[in-house]
Amino acid sequence: MPRLLQPLAKRDLTADSMTAQRQGETMAVELVLEAMPQEMVHLVAGNLGQVIGVMEVLTEAGAGLRLAA
């Protein structure tokens, strides 16, 4: 979990909420940032995709970042 928050921390961003739920062999994590600058979304998503174990990063306007690890 700390590895998923690191891309936010290095840009001085704080998640408004974070949920993690185990789904069999995988874990689904949702990070919600209400005031994330639009120009940072692709940078953070790219960093999250480089975390070992992350299989997919989905972004949704107004719904935060969704990860499958």
Side-chain angles (χ1 to χ4, degrees), residues 23-57:
Q23 298 174 342
E25 293 290 318
T26 63
M27 179 178 288
V29 177
E30 181 176 22
L31 301 170
V32 177
L33 287 87
E34 300 293 337
M36 183 176 195
Q38 187 64 34
E39 62 273 6
M40 287 191 185
V41 172
H42 75 280
L43 297 171
V44 173
N47 289 145
L48 290 169
Q50 293 174 341
V51 174
I52 294 173
V54 172
M55 297 183 295
E56 183 176 20
V57 177

Side-chain angles (χ1 to χ4, degrees), residues 5-32:
L5 295 175
Q6 193 270 338
L8 303 178
K10 74 179 187 180
R11 291 180 176 81
D12 200 27
L13 298 171
T14 303
D16 293 300
S17 69
M18 179 177 175
T19 55
Q21 184 176 31
R22 189 153 186 80
Q23 298 174 342
E25 293 290 318
T26 63
M27 179 178 288
V29 177
E30 181 176 22
L31 301 170
V32 177

